[in-house]
């Protein structure tokens, strides 16, 4: 059943069950097992062995991400126990005037941290969650802002781990400079630009709609921390240290600086490579582990000699931090396993989709919207943007490689659709980490974000259709902006503001 229509079923089963039951763990387990059953031809025992073999392989290859999550959780717990987070929250409550300002500051921080989406999701949530909680901003709204400034920022930032992923997706022997191609796609990555504009519009006007509007109303009336995170945030004031704002800012500054240096180091900056080459060739997961561990050690030396926090309280943060990250770690492990079941070693979902695209590539003017839709669907089903790049970019090069202008638009459509599908997918690691950063129920985040993704995605589809017909990406960009402006006008006319200053 590999590389056939059956390969589509496991992710579809997972997503349908997750949205229906709101139970993401069981939905993922059922989806994984169904995929293993398809692969083994219905042999239950072999399916169980296959499921755990894939899990062992995927978790093993991503162990650095898990270590980073644990260290970051411990670091966050230590900062909270020190009292620095409370001090920062009290300062922010005095300085930031209202929900709009708090949301805009959150978005601005997300724009600044463009190096890596994992790092972005968790850092922005850690810093801004105490502030947004004080203003009763819905955790789902915080998760949307975090998610909207993670992958969409990374995919248009020349210096990021995503730029390297795009360059590495080009087929060997194509004689195309991956970094140069990536730079050319930036203006035409419609989903990234329109998502950022739409997010600012939603923040500024407060005109939430769909399931997000219900969530915002509930938070305005009765702000509640999701039950899975209630016992991880229950540190009492009398248990906190005497930390100041500087005890929050210094560890975060060291964390950011150390992670950036880690990317340069693993990319070979000390071996004579340029900064751009070092970022392009870095191992981002190793870099995050290196940076987070350096920040953790620095925090210990910052707190303990000054008696900001007791040694026992500092050690207690190990358990608190690990516990806070457990939901994200569990979901990530299951999502990676589902992705592995759908990979070319097993069901080969990408090969099935790629074959369909290649067989219907005769009308070149319709390729940009086709690539956008296929990329969005594939990323939604598999939960991986990078995997979608690796499958569809070589196909785009093979089909339109002789037309440089159309190649740029088609690759931009692939990148745009991959980020859009990843943004909407309940099994995407970035979506999972945005939920973890905001500490909101994961399926609630997916539910509330989906209407916004579909609104922006529809505008992008029209833009790529116009860009393909005219063979001009700039005209397509203009068409998509006009569609977004029209959508905003309708929202202003029909949707009341829920978060007035």
């Amino acid at each position: 059943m590999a590389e056939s229509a059956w390969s589509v079923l496991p992710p579809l089963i997972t997503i349908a069950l997750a949205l229906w039951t709101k139970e993401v763990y069981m939905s993922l387990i059922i989806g994984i097992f169904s995929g293993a059953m398809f692969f083994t031809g219905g042999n239950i025992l072999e399916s169980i062995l296959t499921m755990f073999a894939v899990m062992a392989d995927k978790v093993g290859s991503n162990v650095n991400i898990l270590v980073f999550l644990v260290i970051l959780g411990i670091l966050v717990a230590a900062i909270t126990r020190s009292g620095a987070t409370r001090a920062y929250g009290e300062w922010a409550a005095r300085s930031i005037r209202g929900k709009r300002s708090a949301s805009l500051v959150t978005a601005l921080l997300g724009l600044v941290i463009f190096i890596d989406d994992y790092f972005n999701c968790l850092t922005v949530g850690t810093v801004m969650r105490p502030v947004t909680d004080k203003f009763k901003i819905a955790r789902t709204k915080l998760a949307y802002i975090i998610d909207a400034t993670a992958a969409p920022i990374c995919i248009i930032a020349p210096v990021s781990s995503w730029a390297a992923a795009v360059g590495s997706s080009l087929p060997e022997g194509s004689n195309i400079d991956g970094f140069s191609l990536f730079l050319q796609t930036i203006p035409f990555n419609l989903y990234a630009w329109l998502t950022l504009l739409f997010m600012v519009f939603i923040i500024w006007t407060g005109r939430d709609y769909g399931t997000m509007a219900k969530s915002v109303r509930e938070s305005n009336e009765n702000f509640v921390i999701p039950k899975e995170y209630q016992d991880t945030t229950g540190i009492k004031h009398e248990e906190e240290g005497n930390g100041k704002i500087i005890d929050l800012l210094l560890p975060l500054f060291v964390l950011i600086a150390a992670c950036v240096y880690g990317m340069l180091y693993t990319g070979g900056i000390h071996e004579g490579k340029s900064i751009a080459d070092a970022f392009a060739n870095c191992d981002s997961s190793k870099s995050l582990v290196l940076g987070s561990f350096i920040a953790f050690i620095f925090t210990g030396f910052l707190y303990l000699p000054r008696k900001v926090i007791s040694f026992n309280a500092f050690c207690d943060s190990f358990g608190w931090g690990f516990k806070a990250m457990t939901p994200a770690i569990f979901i990530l492990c299951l999502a990676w396993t589902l992705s592995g079941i759908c990979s070319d070693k097993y069901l080969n979902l990408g090969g099935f989709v790629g074959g369909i695209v290649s067989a219907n590539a005769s009308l070149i003017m319709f390729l940009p919207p086709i690539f956008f839709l296929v990329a969005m669907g594939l990323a939604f089903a598999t939960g991986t943007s990078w995997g979608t790049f690796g499958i569809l970019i070589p196909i785009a090069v093979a089909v339109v490689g002789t037309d440089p202008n159309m190649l740029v638009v088609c690759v931009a459509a692939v990148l745009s659709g991959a980020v859009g599908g990843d943004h909407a997918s309940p099994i995407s690691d970035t979506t999972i980490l945005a939920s973890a950063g905001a500490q909101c129920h994961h399926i609630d985040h997916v539910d509330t974000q989906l209407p916004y993704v579909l609104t922006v995605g529809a505008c992008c589809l029209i833009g790529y259709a116009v860009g393909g017909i005219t063979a001009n990406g700039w005209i397509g960009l203009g068409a998509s902006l006009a569609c977004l402006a029209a959508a905003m006008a309708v929202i202003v006319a029909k949707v009341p503001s829920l978060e007035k200053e």
Side-chain angles (χ1 to χ4, degrees):
M1 294 183 181
E3 201 170 327
S4 68
W6 292 101
S7 63
V8 180
L9 285 180
L12 290 183
I13 289 170
T14 301
I15 291 165
L17 282 175
L19 295 175
W20 177 40
T21 66
K22 310 296 184 185
E23 293 293 339
V24 68
Y25 303 122
M26 185 56 71
S27 301
L28 280 163
I29 291 170
I30 292 171
I32 293 165
F33 187 70
S34 67
M37 288 284 283
F38 289 141
F39 179 71
T40 61
N43 187 317
I44 294 176
L45 294 180
E46 284 299 317
S47 297
I48 295 172
L49 293 175
T50 298
M51 180 171 70
F52 285 104
V54 174
M55 184 178 291
D57 179 56
K58 297 298 288 185
V59 171
S61 61
N62 289 286
V63 70
N64 284 328
I65 296 299
L66 301 182
V67 173
F68 167 66
L69 288 175
V70 172
I71 296 176
L72 189 62
I74 294 170
L75 184 63
V76 170
I79 294 172
T80 303
R81 293 297 295 267
S82 75
T85 302
R86 185 188 73 246
Y88 173 76
E90 291 171 352
W91 170 83
R94 295 192 302 268
S95 304
I96 297 176
R97 305 295 182 182
K99 295 184 177 183
R100 181 188 295 168
S101 300
S103 297
L104 287 173
V105 171
T106 303
L108 181 61
L109 183 60
L111 295 175
V112 171
I113 305 176
F114 57 81
I115 296 294
D116 185 78
D117 54 327
Y118 288 2
F119 184 47
N120 181 304
C121 288
L122 295 168
T123 304
V124 174
T126 298
V127 174
M128 294 306 301
R129 190 172 56 249
V131 179
T132 57
D133 282 358
K134 282 186 177 292
F135 290 104
K136 296 184 177 181
I137 294 174
R139 289 279 181 95
T140 51
K141 184 77 170 280
L142 174 61
Y144 166 67
I145 296 171
I146 292 172
D147 216 351
T149 55
I153 285 293
C154 293
I155 199 62
I156 56 176
V159 181
S160 74
S161 56
W162 286 57
V166 174
S168 65
S169 298
L170 289 169
E172 294 183 11
S174 62
N175 296 319
I176 298 173
D177 181 81
F179 188 68
S180 174
L181 178 62
F182 176 77
L183 292 178
Q184 293 177 67
T185 64
I186 290 175
F188 310 125
N189 198 315
L190 304 185
Y191 186 83
W193 291 114
L194 268 61
T195 292
L196 295 173
L197 290 173
F198 193 68
M199 174 198 65
V200 173
F201 166 77
I202 290 293
I203 290 173
W204 190 260
T205 63
R207 296 178 187 274
D208 294 289
Y209 59 95
T211 48
M212 183 68 83
K214 179 182 177 183
S215 179
V216 170
R217 287 193 194 97
E218 290 175 351
S219 292
N220 288 342
E221 295 168 2
N222 182 29
F223 185 81
V224 177
I225 296 173
K227 61 181 181 180
E228 61 260 48
Y229 292 106
Q230 286 176 359
D231 58 350
T232 63
T233 56
I235 298 173
K236 299 177 182 178
H237 286 339
E238 57 266 24
E239 296 175 348
E240 293 183 355
N242 56 354
K244 309 299 181 185
I245 294 177
I246 193 69
D247 294 309
L248 168 68
L249 297 181
L250 279 179
L252 289 175
F253 174 78
V254 171
L255 177 65
I256 294 170
C259 286
V260 172
Y261 172 72
M263 291 180 178
L264 294 171
Y265 177 77
T266 60
I269 192 71
H270 294 309
E271 298 170 7
K273 292 185 178 178
S274 66
I275 293 177
D277 288 340
F279 273 115
N281 296 300
C282 74
D283 186 327
S284 60
S285 62
K286 281 185 179 179
S287 307
L288 295 177
V289 170
L290 178 64
S292 60
F293 188 72
I294 290 173
F296 171 70
I297 297 299
F298 170 83
T299 303
F301 280 110
L302 179 67
Y303 289 175
L304 297 178
R306 296 166 53 230
K307 297 183 179 179
V308 171
I309 187 175
S310 70
F311 179 75
N312 288 338
F314 185 75
C315 292
D316 284 346
S317 65
F318 293 9
W320 280 98
F322 194 105
K323 192 174 184 179
M325 288 299 175
T326 300
I329 289 172
F330 190 24
I331 296 175
L332 273 177
C333 290
L334 293 174
W336 288 333
T337 304
L338 180 62
S339 174
I341 285 287
C342 296
S343 70
D344 56 356
K345 293 182 180 179
Y346 294 92
L347 295 180
N348 198 10
L349 172 59
F352 171 67
V353 173
I356 294 175
V357 174
S358 297
N360 294 275
S362 56
L363 296 175
I364 192 170
M365 70 176 64
F366 297 117
L367 284 179
I370 290 172
F371 273 118
F372 175 75
L373 286 175
V374 172
M376 199 165 190
L378 187 57
F380 180 80
T382 61
T384 168
S385 295
W386 290 20
T388 303
F389 302 161
I391 292 166
L392 294 181
I393 288 179
I395 295 174
V397 171
V399 173
V400 294
T402 56
D403 186 340
N405 291 332
M406 188 58 74
L407 176 63
V408 169
V409 176
C410 285
V411 172
V414 169
L415 303 184
S416 187
V419 172
D422 181 269
H423 209 188
S425 176
I427 58 175
S428 159
D429 45 8
T430 309
T431 308
I432 293 165
L433 290 176
S435 301
Q439 292 196 352
C440 77
H441 186 54
H442 178 56
I443 296 301
D444 287 345
H445 168 45
V446 175
D447 268 349
T448 54
Q449 182 168 262
L450 188 59
Y452 297 170
V453 173
L454 294 177
T455 299
V456 173
C459 297
C460 294
L461 180 62
I462 294 171
Y464 283 120
V466 172
I469 292 171
T470 61
N472 189 313
W474 293 106
I475 296 177
L477 174 62
S480 64
L481 290 173
C483 289
L484 186 66
M488 290 176 178
V490 171
I491 292 169
V492 169
K494 301 289 186 180
V495 179
S497 179
L498 299 175
E499 296 182 354
K500 295 180 180 178
E501 294 289 341

